[in-house]
Amino acid sequence: MDSNPASITDPSVEAALSTLEAGLTQVMKVRTDTLNNPDRLRVLQRIETVVRALPGHGLELVAQIERQWNNNEFATPNVTDTIAEALHISPGEARARWRAAQDLAHR
């Protein structure tokens, strides 16, 4: 699951992310073919809650990176190029996330 084995310097953040990744691995392994449809719907609802929450947190991180941008930290020249390279997304998608972060993230 882990595409980037580099750990985070803050141990509490590293532990939280490891727990999230381990939880995702467990959820992806569960058998849902034995559930009834009401339970499948409840599983789907809970997954949807997580799916909706994560992008907002990602936009907050984008906004924080932009606010504290330093050209000496990364080999790329700007925030959008750095995000595109790190997340393996197109520059256009990185710009869209940067714009959304400008509009939606906490100040």
Side-chain angles (χ1 to χ4, degrees):
M1 157 119 294
D2 192 9
S3 63
N4 185 1
S7 61
I8 309 299
T9 56
D10 183 317
S12 65
V13 176
E14 178 63 31
L17 289 171
S18 293
T19 300
L20 176 66
E21 292 163 346
L24 175 60
T25 299
Q26 283 185 294
V27 168
M28 292 178 69
K29 288 180 181 179
V30 297
R31 289 189 51 193
T32 56
D33 59 330
T34 60
L35 298 176
N36 60 37
N37 279 340
D39 280 342
R40 284 187 188 106
L41 187 57
R42 285 188 279 277
V43 169
L44 187 58
Q45 288 171 321
R46 291 175 71 175
I47 288 172
E48 185 68 18
T49 298
V50 173
V51 167
R52 289 183 184 192
L54 289 175
H57 194 63
L59 292 178
E60 184 66 32
L61 292 167
V62 170
Q64 291 171 359
I65 290 168
E66 197 276 327
R67 281 195 299 272
Q68 296 181 5
W69 181 255
N70 178 340
N71 281 333
N72 299 321
E73 290 180 312
F74 304 103
T76 49
N78 56 55
V79 173
T80 56
D81 287 346
T82 299
I83 292 168
E85 184 177 295
L87 301 183
H88 306 287
I89 59 177
S90 71
E93 173 62 24
R95 278 189 297 280
R97 291 186 191 193
W98 178 80
R99 284 191 298 274
Q102 297 298 303
D103 291 341
L104 301 174
H106 294 101
R107 303 259 188 272

